[in-house]
Amino acid sequence: MVFERKDLLGTRDLSAIEIRSLLESAESFKEIAERPLKKVPALRGKTVVNLFFEPSTRTRTSFEIAAKRLSADAVNMSASTSSLVKGESLLDTVDNIQAMAPDILVVRHRFVGAAHMIAERVGARVVNAGDGANEHPTQALLDLVTMSEHKRVGPGLTVAIIGDIAHSRVARSNIWALTTLGVTVRICAPPTMLPRELDKIPGLIVCERPEEALDGVDVVMMLRIQLERQDRLLFPSIRDYARVFGLNRQRLDLAAEDAIVMHPGPMNRGVEITSEVADGSRAVILNQVSNGVALRMAVLFLLGGQGHE
Amino acid sequence: MSSNASLLLKNVRLIDAGQNRDEKNLDIFLRDGKVAEIGSSLNLPADQVFDLNGAWVMPGAIDLHVHLREPGFEHKETILSGAEAAVAGGFTSIACMANTNPVNDSAAITRFILEQAASAPAKVLPVAAISKGMAGQELVEMGDLAAAGAAAFSDDGKTVANSKLLRHALEYASIFNKPLLCHCQDNDLFAGGVIHEGMISAAHGLAGIPTLAEDVDIARTIMLAEYLKVGVHICHLSTATGVRLVRSAKARGVKVTAEATPHHLFLDERAVVDLAYSEDLDEHVRPQQLRYNTATKMSPPLRAAEDVTALREGLADGTIDAIATDHAPHEATEKAVEYELAPFGVVGLETAVALGLRLVTEKVLTPLTLAARLSLAPAAILGLDDRGSLTIGKAADLMIIDPQREWVVDPGKFRSKAGNTPFAGWRLPGRVVKTIVDGRIVFNL
């Protein structure tokens, strides 16, 4: 295995070899979910702390199941019960957790760079489970695992990412990982949700309209629209967004015949994706969720497992 | 030493924009706190004589823009600690902004600042707010404040969004001959932003502050000054468009002046994700955290590389009149938080002049234009005719610089209470070795 890092903070700095190693390792963990006894002793005696400063049910559960299937002791700590409400600084909170000698911290935080800050502070290994709009590496990697089940992920593949790019860590982590592997990435968002100067990133094609982004594409990745953003004058209404940018059957027909449809969840049915598409034969959305556990097992194993005994 | 003593500085290179003079092998005689004589081989009896061996003598630097935090935030800085930082960096006069607690919006606060400053080593010039509480609603009592000693007016950190109020402030302040120092920012376009809206914000998901937020307000401010035929000063220009707007306004005769900070002249947005992107930092003092270091967070933010180039051109051609630090001290723990939560601002008093020397070695400025940007122009902007130059009869406020004395910026050694500088670990080409205020040596390295 080629993964020598202390932490997994993002996909931006990962090499193609590192990404491939993580994906291969995830493949080997998939099978555990099929066993009657879904447990291996790989991380027995290791402590994994899920440090969630932002509410998240799915990601936290996925990491927790991954840790438990590796026999690690998984502890959840969420912001609502944390000291943040008491006015303690992030670094003080982290120092306290470090003092309890965990092996791996899985960190979700609403601000950019929080996981990086923690990683520089502690001896424990850190997995970024989402920092603001910056990175969500395990999501991108599980997306790659899912794509690999249907496509050859490399040059020749075209992926369209459609939605609120500006505020999406999922989009960013996917952009870095996919472009590193030589995949062509098309980006489409309302201009109000498209970061300026995104077009300076090599390997990205920015499309104005979803029709353009979808044309002959192999993979369609729809992003969640955060409904509360409506207050921030970013788009006129949910109805208008769904009309212009939502993925429906007619639009999906523009994609390649064997195109797959992905969504990082949770979905707003009828907004960025119609139920017909989300529940249709080309959707691999629940496979993403299953693969999430395998990929996270791989990440926890590579960071905390035998390689580092 | 008392200020009626005399001091003879021998064998100096005098660099004084006010006299348009850059001359070696001169002696300068200071008496009664003033410049008394300049010549070669002066043989005058003096209480103290220094042979300076060719060191540079420049008028003391004058900073149009500092935050001294007192009253209200003395844990960040005090008038005394800020003044000590100032003289350690070659600044002999500093204009302190009004965003204290309480805000400097009344004569009582202005007098308090002056009282606290009475024993400080640098001359402290209180800048009063434009609006009461800096709330942008009602004008302060400008006449009362000017009489109490306010040197200028500014709602720095906030912009006066109400154009009618800003109009009246410009009109009313003009009768006291006190400048308005305008922090130009469209609050709605700015809102929520953390770093420059550009390549780095796009890649890292940090909310952007568009150049537009600054530029539309610079345009508005210039239009008001032009219409009213009054002067106005623009704080901390950071954008290429801002430079262009000021340049074209000056060309058509608008009485606009502008400043730029050293951090905007040396760093661009890349510093947010890699503090060492442009410099080989000294390993002993380089910060541990090079990525998302909150010492790169200030308002206006570090802009794109092309903005830095435009600022340097503007500084060289005089579009930008003055170098000002926007010295904004914060306690270490206040900055040791998530990037998005950290307060804006960096310190600058102890590095600005040395960075100015670096602009000379990089051929952006000549020694004479550096003296103009650091001293002559700021004095003129504030209407201080007793300083900014070392002609005979002016205040003996000066800095002595060893242009060969390389040093490493180490925030641990700052006189300021705060160390939030983005320049930690930089090697700078020369430094201030003595600072003299009213003929008194107030800093001696």
Side-chain angles (χ1 to χ4, degrees):
Chain A
M1 279 308 148
V2 186
F3 197 80
E4 304 282 313
R5 291 169 189 260
K6 170 181 169 281
D7 312 295
L8 178 64
L9 300 177
T11 57
R12 186 187 287 108
D13 304 327
L14 295 183
S15 67
I17 293 170
E18 286 174 309
I19 294 171
R20 298 269 182 220
S21 294
L22 285 161
L23 301 186
E24 276 168 36
S25 179
E27 286 302 322
S28 66
F29 281 107
K30 273 185 187 173
E31 163 273 324
I32 292 170
E34 324 261 305
R35 297 184 189 175
L37 289 173
K38 302 181 184 64
K39 214 168 176 95
V40 291
L43 291 188
R44 197 165 58 195
K46 302 275 182 182
T47 307
V48 175
V49 177
N50 284 329
L51 190 52
F52 276 57
F53 295 93
E54 184 182 67
S56 152
T57 313
R58 305 156 161 262
T59 304
R60 203 204 62 214
T61 307
S62 179
F63 269 107
E64 189 177 350
I65 290 175
K68 286 182 168 161
R69 285 185 182 167
L70 292 168
S71 306
D73 298 308
V75 180
N76 291 322
M77 187 181 152
S78 60
S80 53
T81 58
S82 87
S83 43
L84 278 194
V85 261
K86 297 174 201 153
E88 187 176 66
S89 77
L90 176 63
L91 291 181
D92 281 337
T93 304
V94 166
D95 286 349
N96 275 277
I97 290 163
Q98 174 67 23
M100 297 180 235
D103 298 287
I104 301 178
L105 301 180
V106 177
V107 177
R108 160 69 63 92
H109 198 293
R110 58 190 279 245
F111 291 126
V112 171
H116 305 73
M117 195 174 166
I118 292 169
E120 269 166 35
R121 184 80 164 190
V122 301
R125 290 154 188 284
V126 175
V127 181
N128 184 2
D131 64 317
N134 187 20
E135 286 250 29
H136 191 359
T138 58
Q139 177 70 44
L141 293 166
L142 72 87
D143 289 341
L144 295 185
V145 172
T146 309
M147 283 179 217
S148 306
E149 289 173 343
H150 303 270
K151 312 279 173 189
R152 211 200 137 266
V153 180
L157 189 76
T158 304
V159 176
I161 305 178
I162 301 174
D164 184 357
I165 304 291
H167 302 95
S168 177
R169 52 193 170 214
V170 175
R172 285 189 178 77
S173 285
N174 265 293
I175 287 169
W176 310 129
L178 288 167
T179 53
T180 298
L181 296 182
V183 174
T184 302
V185 180
R186 294 184 195 162
I187 291 295
C188 180
T192 49
M193 297 181 176
L194 193 65
R196 241 171 111 79
E197 306 196 14
L198 195 70
D199 52 354
K200 287 190 181 166
I201 294 168
L204 274 196
I205 299 167
V206 177
C207 302
E208 265 187 26
R209 306 271 302 187
E211 290 77 7
E212 200 188 321
L214 290 166
D215 185 27
V217 83
D218 303 302
V219 178
V220 185
M221 187 181 294
M222 299 305 292
L223 299 176
R224 174 180 165 78
I225 275 295
Q226 289 180 291
L227 301 177
E228 63 275 14
R229 293 216 187 280
Q230 247 200 120
D231 300 336
R232 299 206 212 155
L233 318 173
L234 289 174
F235 57 96
S237 68
I238 296 293
R239 181 169 171 269
D240 213 50
Y241 183 87
R243 185 186 173 90
V244 182
F245 290 94
L247 184 66
N248 52 32
R249 209 191 57 198
Q250 292 73 20
R251 285 209 175 111
L252 183 55
D253 284 344
L254 299 169
E257 221 168 291
D258 57 350
I260 55 170
V261 175
M262 305 177 72
H263 191 297
M267 286 185 285
N268 298 300
R269 289 173 180 263
V271 183
E272 67 265 8
I273 191 165
T274 60
S275 283
E276 190 184 8
V277 172
D279 302 330
S281 59
R282 294 153 88 175
V284 294
I285 296 167
L286 292 174
N287 306 50
Q288 289 174 266
V289 178
S290 310
N291 290 333
V293 174
L295 180 277
R296 287 173 178 128
M297 286 173 76
V299 167
L300 295 175
F301 175 72
L302 290 176
L303 289 182
Q306 286 139 344
H308 295 287
E309 284 295 329
Chain B
M1 187 205 287
S2 70
S3 63
N4 58 8
S6 58
L7 209 63
L8 183 60
L9 309 176
K10 294 197 67 82
N11 191 16
V12 306
R13 174 175 169 185
L14 173 66
I15 299 160
D16 181 8
Q19 306 176 61
N20 195 28
R21 192 169 186 183
D22 180 352
E23 219 176 305
K24 291 177 182 168
N25 302 318
L26 286 177
D27 297 348
I28 302 175
F29 184 58
L30 312 174
R31 190 179 53 212
D32 298 337
K34 298 201 171 6
V35 180
E37 201 122 15
I38 300 171
S40 43
S41 308
L42 291 182
N43 256 327
L44 296 162
D47 297 326
Q48 269 188 294
V49 181
F50 291 98
D51 187 341
L52 293 171
N53 250 328
W56 296 8
V57 168
M58 294 168 80
I62 298 173
D63 197 339
L64 291 167
H65 200 138
V66 306
H67 298 271
L68 295 183
R69 307 299 191 200
E70 185 181 356
F73 307 102
E74 292 84 353
H75 63 289
K76 296 175 192 261
E77 193 83 286
T78 62
I79 290 166
L80 187 61
S81 66
E84 278 169 355
V87 296
F91 287 91
T92 52
S93 294
I94 47 177
C96 59
M97 289 295 173
N99 60 340
T100 47
N101 184 21
V103 167
N104 180 17
D105 59 2
S106 70
I109 303 296
T110 296
R111 279 195 291 267
F112 166 80
I113 292 167
L114 290 170
E115 266 169 39
Q116 294 295 98
S119 57
K123 296 174 179 173
V124 175
L125 307 162
V127 177
I130 291 170
S131 66
K132 285 184 186 163
M134 297 176 59
Q137 303 291 323
E138 282 177 81
L139 287 184
V140 297
E141 294 180 312
M142 289 185 165
D144 201 30
L145 280 154
F153 296 98
S154 179
D155 273 6
D156 182 62
K158 298 182 177 182
T159 197
V160 179
N162 181 329
S163 298
K164 192 168 179 182
L165 186 76
L166 185 55
R167 172 194 175 149
H168 292 326
L170 284 162
E171 288 173 321
Y172 198 73
S174 67
I175 62 172
F176 306 109
N177 211 16
K178 302 288 179 197
L180 250 62
L181 315 176
C182 290
H183 171 116
C184 290
Q185 167 185 308
D186 180 298
N187 294 333
D188 294 309
L189 287 170
F190 182 95
V194 179
I195 66 168
H196 170 66
E197 180 176 81
M199 181 179 85
I200 300 295
S201 69
H204 293 258
L206 285 160
I209 301 169
T211 51
L212 192 64
E214 187 169 336
D215 299 337
V216 295
D217 200 38
I218 291 172
R220 177 187 71 131
T221 305
I222 288 172
M223 288 170 88
L224 280 161
E226 185 166 18
Y227 181 82
L228 301 169
K229 299 186 174 62
V230 298
V232 72
H233 177 76
I234 313 277
C235 295
H236 41 53
L237 278 190
S238 76
T239 70
T241 303
V243 174
R244 196 156 46 76
L245 287 166
V246 172
R247 186 179 287 130
S248 70
K250 283 186 165 184
R252 45 177 209 278
V254 183
K255 288 188 278 178
V256 59
T257 54
E259 73 193 31
T261 71
H263 46 273
H264 291 115
L265 290 162
F266 279 94
L267 295 168
D268 66 47
E269 56 182 334
R270 285 172 289 176
V272 172
V273 292
D274 181 11
L275 253 181
Y277 83 95
S278 66
E279 288 290 315
D280 182 20
L281 302 180
D282 184 275
E283 59 186 277
H284 301 294
V285 288
R286 65 187 255 145
Q288 189 195 354
Q289 192 185 342
L290 296 178
R291 182 167 39 180
Y292 309 127
N293 189 305
T294 58
T296 60
K297 186 177 173 184
M298 74 291 288
S299 171
L302 297 175
R303 296 291 187 187
E306 49 272 31
D307 294 303
V308 175
T309 305
L311 287 177
R312 287 176 162 226
E313 285 166 7
L315 190 73
D317 72 16
T319 301
I320 296 168
D321 303 80
I323 295 173
T325 65
D326 195 2
H327 179 81
H330 291 291
E331 199 182 39
T333 53
E334 294 169 326
K335 277 282 200 181
V337 296
E338 297 87 324
Y339 197 90
E340 282 153 284
L341 291 180
F344 289 106
V346 296
V347 293
L349 281 169
E350 290 169 80
T351 48
V353 170
L355 287 162
L357 297 172
R358 169 97 167 239
L359 290 172
V360 173
T361 60
E362 291 182 16
K363 309 269 184 227
V364 176
L365 297 178
T366 64
L368 264 179
T369 47
L370 177 64
R373 305 293 176 264
L374 285 172
S375 308
L376 185 66
I381 288 163
L382 293 172
L384 303 169
D385 48 19
D386 66 333
R387 65 194 89 161
S389 168
L390 294 173
T391 47
I392 289 165
K394 300 247 185 198
D397 294 357
L398 56 87
M399 52 182 166
I400 298 169
I401 289 167
D402 181 346
Q404 315 296 342
R405 186 163 174 159
E406 199 190 84
W407 62 293
V408 173
V409 177
D410 178 359
K413 293 184 179 156
F414 282 172
R415 265 82 169 170
S416 170
K417 282 192 170 190
N420 49 312
T421 173
F423 295 111
W426 281 47
R427 291 182 190 85
L428 297 180
R431 81 183 294 186
V432 175
V433 292
K434 280 186 178 53
T435 305
I436 294 176
V437 171
D438 285 336
R440 263 181 352 115
I441 299 171
V442 291
F443 172 73
N444 199 354
L445 190 68

